[in-house]
């Protein structure tokens, strides 16, 4: 039977039409038994074939139906209406007057229920952005960090070294003053005593200055370390942000399988 041949070739729509043609053939009560059996077989085959035929429904999103011409494999179809198709690949085309056509290739397997949202409306007009100062690029920021970090590192190291030397000098001066106090002409007179000589005041001033130099040296080295860190940060290459990509996923539900496409085209 030709209908079975079409069915084996995947041409289910044509096979259904041939089975239906056999069923629609009028038979007299006295028709040969072979003809009656052919109709009985065609009825059973048609009932088994019907659920295997995939279907497709196309929705238009924001686009008005009257302004769009939809075709499937070159034949006009109505939007939001379920159409039966053969399993395999199909070409869907949407045309809006004054705009280029949009074509999509769709693959449907047997028993699939395909549903597609095709939005052919133009994107909404966007307000013209106000002029603003150009944003600082990543290269400019890295350059600024490199220069600023280099200056901070240099100043911090030089100042830290200089104040460390000054601190050492004041430490030596303070030790010399202590030695003078210990070996003075009046050894019974110590700095904590109210009768302390003027050399004790000089020792106190020297020690205070010594600690000031120590604190400034420490702060300078911290500044230099921060500058070195900024230079290293500017020199290290970092991966760029990943490119965003659209995600397309199949539409699968209970007892339903097919392909769902949506988006702005």
């Amino acid at each position: 039977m030709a209908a079975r041949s079409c069915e084996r070739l995947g041409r289910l729509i044509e096979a259904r039409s041939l089975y239906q043609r056999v069923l629609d053939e009028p038979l007299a009560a006295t028709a040969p038994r072979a003809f009656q059996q052919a109709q009985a077989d065609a009825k059973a085959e048609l009932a088994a074939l019907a659920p295997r035929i995939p279907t497709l429904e196309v929705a238009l999103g924001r686009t008005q139906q009257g302004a769009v011409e939809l075709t499937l494999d070159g034949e006009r179809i109505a939007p939001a209406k379920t159409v039966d198709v053969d399993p395999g690949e199909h070409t869907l085309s949407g045309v809006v007057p004054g705009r280029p056509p949009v074509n999509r290739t769709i693959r449907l397997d047997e028993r699939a229920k395909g549903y597609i949202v095709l939005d052919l409306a133009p994107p909404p007009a966007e307000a013209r952005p106000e002029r603003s100062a150009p944003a600082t690029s990543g290269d400019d920021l890295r350059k600024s960090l490199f220069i600023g970090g280099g200056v901070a590192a240099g100043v911090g190291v030089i100042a830290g070294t200089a104040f460390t030397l000054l601190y050492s000098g004041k430490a030596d001066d303070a030790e010399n003053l202590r030695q003078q106090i210990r070996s003075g002409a009046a050894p019974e007179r110590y700095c904590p005593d109210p009768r302390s000589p003027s050399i004790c005041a000089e020792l106190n001033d020297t020690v205070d200055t010594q600690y000031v130099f120590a604190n400034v040296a420490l702060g300078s080295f911290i500044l230099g370390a921060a500058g070195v860190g900024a230079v290293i940060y500017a020199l290290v290459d970092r991966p760029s942000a990943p490119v965003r990509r659209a995600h397309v996923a199949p539409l699968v539900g209970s007892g339903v399988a097919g392909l769902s496409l949506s988006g702005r085209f």
Side-chain angles (χ1 to χ4, degrees):
M1 183 181 293
R4 291 195 180 96
S5 299
C6 292
E7 188 176 350
R8 285 191 292 269
L9 293 173
R11 292 150 53 185
L12 304 187
I13 302 298
E14 185 176 355
R16 181 180 64 181
S17 177
L18 293 175
Y19 284 133
Q20 190 64 48
R21 185 182 302 175
V22 173
L23 287 176
D24 294 341
E25 187 70 26
L27 291 180
T30 59
R33 182 175 180 79
F35 289 174
Q36 296 179 6
Q37 184 63 43
Q39 279 195 338
D41 292 343
K43 183 177 181 179
E45 295 287 351
L46 185 60
L49 176 65
R52 294 171 51 197
I53 298 176
T55 62
L56 177 64
E57 180 182 348
V58 181
L60 295 180
R62 298 176 299 146
T63 312
Q64 296 181 358
Q65 295 186 8
V68 180
E69 178 181 340
L70 289 179
T71 58
L72 185 66
D73 298 328
E75 297 185 3
R76 186 80 176 264
I77 61 172
K81 299 292 184 180
T82 301
V83 293
D84 297 336
V85 295
D86 286 326
E89 289 190 353
H90 301 274
T91 300
L92 174 67
S93 178
V95 180
V96 176
R99 300 186 63 191
V102 175
N103 299 318
R104 294 289 178 268
T105 300
I106 307 162
R107 180 174 182 82
L108 295 173
D109 297 328
E110 289 189 10
R111 305 179 185 273
K113 307 295 182 182
Y115 179 80
I116 295 178
V117 177
L118 194 60
D119 191 354
L120 300 174
E126 297 181 356
R128 186 175 181 179
E130 297 181 358
R131 287 189 174 183
S132 59
T136 303
S137 65
D139 290 340
D140 292 340
L141 178 60
R142 293 173 64 181
K143 183 178 179 181
S144 299
L145 285 174
F146 182 80
I147 295 174
V151 172
V155 171
V157 171
I158 294 173
T161 302
F163 280 101
T164 299
L165 295 176
L166 292 173
Y167 164 80
S168 299
K170 286 298 180 180
D172 292 340
D173 292 342
E175 185 60 28
N176 291 334
L177 291 172
R178 291 189 186 95
Q179 292 295 333
Q180 293 179 27
I181 292 173
R182 294 191 190 102
S183 61
E188 70 280 0
R189 296 169 65 185
Y190 297 99
C191 286
D193 192 283
R195 297 171 297 170
S196 300
S198 60
I199 193 172
C200 292
E202 184 180 354
L203 174 60
N204 291 335
D205 293 341
T206 302
V207 171
D208 291 342
T209 306
Q210 171 189 349
Y211 285 118
V212 170
F213 288 160
N215 291 332
V216 174
L218 179 60
S220 299
F221 283 126
I222 292 175
L223 175 63
V228 172
V231 171
I232 294 175
Y233 181 83
L235 292 177
V236 173
D237 290 331
R238 287 169 294 281
S240 58
V243 179
R244 295 183 178 179
R245 298 183 181 277
H247 179 68
V248 180
L251 175 67
V252 179
S254 176
V256 178
L259 179 66
S260 176
L261 302 176
S262 63
R264 182 180 298 165
F265 304 100

